[in-house]
Amino acid sequence: MKNQFDYLVVGSGIAGLTFALKAAKTGTVAIVTKKDKLETNTNYAQGGIACVLAQDDSFDLHIKDTLESGDGLCHPEVVDLVVKTGPERVRELVKLGVAFNLETGANAFDLGREGGHSRNRILHAQDMTGRAVEKVLMAAAESEPNIAIFENHLVLDLIIQHQSMRAGAVDLYQQDTCRGAYVLDIAAGQIHTFVANAVLLCTGGAGKVYLYTSNPDVATGDGLAIAYRAGAKLANLEFVQFHPTCLYHPAAKNFLISEAVRGEGARLIDKRGRAFMEKYHPLKDLAFRDIVARAIDAEMKTSGDDCVFLDITHRDRHFLMKRFPNIYEKCLSLGIDITKDPIPVVPAAHYMCGGILTNCSARTTIDNLYAIGECACTGLHGANRLASNSLLEAMVFSHAAVVECAERLESWRNRVLPEVPDYSRKIAVENSSNSEMVMIAHNWDFIRRLMWNYVGIVRTDKRLALALTHILQIKMELKEHMPNIPLSSDLVELQGLALVAELIIRCAVQRKESRGLHFNVDHPEKGGSDWLKDTVVIKSAAEEFLSLPAVQND
Ligand code: SIN
C-alpha cells in the first residue's frame, strides 16, 4: 500500500505534534507512531519547560545558564534563538489550553527551580507537565482534518534518492533527498510505503540502550539509527545525560523523582543520613546534573551502598501532596511516604544530548529530512543539557521547521519525481513462535548491561575499547542470523539499539578529554580549544551494514 502526504511525521511527542498542528494549516500530515499515540517520552516528562517569564529573570541569565551547563559546546546562535523565542511558543501552548500551575492567589505562573538555573523559571503542571502538554496537543491533532495518525506503525528505513554530479571518476556534488519511509504496520504484519515531501523525525531518545533509565520502553533510538543508515550526520552521542534521581525500588520501573523536588529543598543524603553534595559543588544539591550524578556514583562506589536518598521530609505534608501528586502516589504505592521517609534513588540514563545534526530550521544533512526534539542535535545542549530546556527546544524547532517547509511546499508539489517502489508482504509479527527469539532477548539484555557497565557515568579507555569489541561482535551475530528471523518490532529495535550503542561508543572513544557529561578517568581534564567542536559521525562508503531480512514483493 502506498500513502502520499505532504509531511510524514515520525513520533507523536511534543515535537511531532507541535509540527503537525502547524503544518496541517498548509498541507496533509501523517503521524506514524510505533505504539499507542500517547506512549511518548513527552508524556513522562515531570519537570517542565524552562522559560524566561519572571520579573527577576532575563534572556541573558537563561542564556548564561544554558551555556555554562553546555560546558563550551553549545552553539550560541541556537541558544539565543531558543531562549528568546521560547516565551512566544509557550504562549501558544497556553492558548491551546495547557494549564500550567499559577502562584496561589495570583495570576502569575508558579515557576519552579531545577539544577543549574540561577532563577526560578520552570513552568510546570504539578509534577506531570509532559502529560498535560501531550493531552492538549493530541486532542487538537485529533480534531484536525488534515492530520492522520497511524498507531503501531514502526519506521524501518527512510527512502532516499541519491543524486550526484560527476566529472570523470570524481563526485563533484552529492545531494541525497528523503522521499518518505517504509513503515511496518505491526498489527497487520505489512510494510507500507509512505511518500512525503518532507519527513520529520521526532522519535525521542535512546535511554533503553542502558540497563537503568528513566525513559519508557519506546525510547530505543530508532530515529538515530534510521537517519544514520540513510547517510545523515549525527553528532555528540557521547553526551548521555544521567538523571541523578530515579526511584530505587525493585517494583519501580523507570520512575523519575523530578529535579523539581530538589528545587523545593530536598537534600541528597547517604544511608547514614549525611548530606554529601557540599563536598562536590558550591551549588550543592542544585549543581548541574552531570556533577550531581557523578557525586552519587562516587558516594555509592565508596560506600558500597546500592543507592542514596533524597530527603524532603522537612517540607509541609500538604504542600508536597499538592506539588508532587504523581511522585507522592507512586512512592506511597511502594510503601514510601515521601512526607516522612527519605526516597531511595540512583542515577539512570535520561536524555541524549547528541543526535541527528540539524541547522536552525531543524533540517538534517539530507534534503527534505528534518529532526526535532531529543533525536536531534541542534547545538542547544552542548556537552550537558540544562534541565527543562528540551521541551522548549522541541517547540522552537518545530516552529522553525514549519516556517521553512511552508516556504518550500509549493516547489515540492511542482516537482516531477520518479516513482518510489512499493513494498508489501505478509510477514511474521512479534508473537510468532521462533526458536531464535532467544537471541533477540539475550542481545537486548547484553547491550544494555554492557552500556551501563562500560559506557556509563564514568568511563575509561579500556572499558570503551572492550565495549566496542563486544558490540561489533553482536552486530556480526545479528547480521548472520537476522535474515532467518521473522521481522518484528523487537528485532528492528534491537538492530537500532546495537547501532546506537556502537555510535555512542565511537563518539566516546573519539573524545579524549572530560567535558560535560563525558567523563573519562584516563583523560580527566578538559582539553584545549581543539576539543571545542562537535563529535560528528557519518556512515562511510566502505561501512558494512546490517540489513533487514530481504523483503519480497507479493
Ligand atoms: C526532571 O523533572 O527532573 C526532569 C526534567 C528534565 O529532564 O528536563
Side-chain angles (χ1 to χ4, degrees), residues 45-48 114 241 243 245 256-260 262 289 350-351 385-390:
Q46 294 182 1
E114 289 179 0
Q241 186 168 71
H243 196 291
T245 59
L256 189 70
I257 305 296
S258 174
E259 200 155 294
R262 273 177 286 138
R289 239 174 231 184
H350 180 62
Y351 192 90
R385 177 185 66 113
L386 185 66
S388 285
N389 261 356
S390 40

Side-chain angles (χ1 to χ4, degrees), residues 14-192:
I14 187 170
L17 292 176
T18 305
F19 177 88
L21 280 170
K22 293 185 176 196
K25 306 280 175 253
T26 60
T28 54
V29 184
I31 300 177
V32 298
T33 176
K34 67 180 178 178
K35 291 259 175 350
D36 174 282
K37 57 184 180 288
L38 292 176
E39 191 56 16
T40 66
N41 256 3
T42 301
N43 209 30
Y44 292 86
Q46 294 182 1
I49 303 179
C51 187
V52 175
L53 295 166
Q55 291 292 324
D56 68 343
D57 202 0
S58 69
F59 290 147
D60 284 349
L61 283 173
H62 190 182
I63 289 170
K64 184 170 170 285
D65 294 344
T66 303
L67 293 173
E68 208 176 316
S69 182
D71 211 3
L73 289 192
C74 298
H75 297 194
E77 73 287 1
V78 174
V79 178
D80 214 65
L81 170 78
V82 173
V83 167
K84 290 184 177 163
T85 62
E88 214 175 316
R89 305 285 79 83
V90 163
R91 278 193 286 278
E92 289 168 358
L93 265 191
V94 173
K95 209 164 150 203
L96 267 179
V98 178
F100 294 111
N101 285 158
L102 300 175
E103 277 176 9
T104 320
N107 210 9
F109 290 115
D110 176 37
L111 299 169
R113 175 82 67 108
E114 289 179 0
H117 288 276
S118 58
R119 292 288 184 277
N120 282 28
R121 62 167 76 99
I122 317 295
L123 280 160
H124 61 95
Q126 276 119 357
D127 56 352
M128 295 169 281
T129 311
R131 204 178 302 173
V133 171
E134 180 83 16
K135 203 169 134 203
V136 166
L137 291 177
M138 186 53 80
E142 281 176 329
S143 60
E144 170 57 62
N146 256 355
I147 297 178
I149 302 176
F150 297 82
E151 291 179 290
N152 300 309
H153 278 60
L154 174 67
V155 173
L156 301 178
D157 268 307
L158 297 169
I159 301 165
I160 303 293
Q161 189 176 330
H162 303 282
Q163 269 174 340
S164 59
M165 260 188 54
R166 292 177 71 87
V170 184
D171 257 339
L172 288 180
Y173 167 83
Q174 176 125 24
Q175 178 65 77
D176 290 347
T177 304
C178 186
R179 298 280 316 277
Y182 295 117
V183 181
L184 173 66
D185 174 345
I186 297 166
Q190 290 186 328
I191 298 171
H192 301 308

